[in-house]
Amino acid sequence: MADSGGAVILYTTWPDGDAAAKAARVLLEERLIACANIFPAGRSVFRWEGRIEDASETIALFKTRASRAEAVRDRLITLHPYDEPCVLALDVDADKSAAGFLAWIGAETR
């Protein structure tokens, strides 16, 4: 079984599913992520520039190894259409995760 190198999920929000899928394809081609999950029915309520906003957004989760997380973050920020994109890195608890899936993430992001 390949070493996962520690897994990270990057949580992001996008204006639509097409923008998220385009970023996912770039990151897959560059072997920075193993996969992305895109959820089109998100709603975000937040304060931006002094106003409360209520927007429909697409949520995307990008799965990678810990050693690639900074590169994924940087690439997501450059690919993203927002001025200040939401990109949050969430460490994965390997002891409570499926070892085979973690190994697959590691293998796909080499």
Side-chain angles (χ1 to χ4, degrees), residues 16-102:
D16 56 59
D18 289 340
K22 182 178 176 183
R25 284 187 196 92
V26 169
L27 295 171
L28 284 164
E29 288 171 4
E30 295 174 359
R31 297 193 72 85
L32 289 173
I33 64 169
C35 76
N37 300 111
I38 300 169
F39 306 93
R43 182 176 176 184
S44 296
V45 181
F46 55 97
R47 186 180 309 276
W48 182 252
E49 297 180 345
R51 294 182 22 211
I52 295 177
E53 303 287 338
D54 191 329
S56 294
E57 290 189 302
T58 294
I59 297 164
L61 304 176
F62 296 87
K63 298 171 194 140
T64 192
R65 65 176 49 229
S67 63
R68 297 280 190 147
E70 288 182 26
V72 173
R73 176 204 59 208
D74 293 345
R75 198 69 173 107
L76 285 169
I77 290 169
T78 62
L79 293 168
H80 209 289
Y82 290 169
D83 291 338
E84 194 62 51
C86 169
V87 180
L88 299 173
L90 309 170
D91 290 331
V92 172
D93 185 337
D95 292 337
K96 296 182 179 100
S97 300
F101 190 78
L102 295 177

